[in-house]
Amino acid sequence: AMSLSRPCVVTAVGGNNEVLVHNKSGLILPNDDASLFSRGILMLLSDQNLIDSYGVFGRERFLAMFTCQIMLNSYEKLYQDL
């Protein structure tokens, strides 16, 4: 989604906290509150400016940290350092 300039709404599980920046590229919400999660989605859908700003930030973050070449270089460095 970030590669396509789309904001994300995720729960705070797994690596989501490492990929997204809360209130910058999307929303990171508790995984045990479905009501809060749905309110987050509705809030985001009702604010085009927020959708756009989260999308731009997410795209920039993706290009800086998560392209295939960047990830490949990171893995290569990790294996070299072992």
Side-chain angles (χ1 to χ4, degrees), residues 39-57:
R39 287 194 313 269
I41 292 171
L42 292 173
M43 182 271 304
L44 187 58
L45 287 173
S46 70
D47 189 336
Q48 188 62 48
N49 290 330
L50 200 56
I51 290 171
D52 294 342
S53 67
Y54 284 7
V56 168
F57 186 92

Side-chain angles (χ1 to χ4, degrees), residues 6-77:
R6 301 292 183 254
C8 301
V9 180
V10 301
T11 57
V13 298
N16 290 340
N17 291 325
E18 297 171 20
V19 176
L20 261 70
V21 178
H22 182 65
N23 286 330
K24 294 282 188 179
S25 55
L27 302 173
I28 303 173
L29 302 169
N31 64 335
D32 60 353
D33 191 339
S35 178
L36 180 61
F37 193 83
S38 63
R39 287 194 313 269
I41 292 171
L42 292 173
M43 182 271 304
L44 187 58
L45 287 173
S46 70
D47 189 336
Q48 188 62 48
N49 290 330
L50 200 56
I51 290 171
D52 294 342
S53 67
Y54 284 7
V56 168
F57 186 92
R59 172 77 177 161
E60 290 171 357
R61 184 168 172 82
F62 168 80
L63 292 174
M65 299 178 70
F66 300 112
T67 64
C68 289
Q69 190 61 52
I70 289 171
M71 296 300 292
L72 179 64
N73 292 345
S74 295
Y75 283 120
E76 184 176 26
K77 182 179 180 334

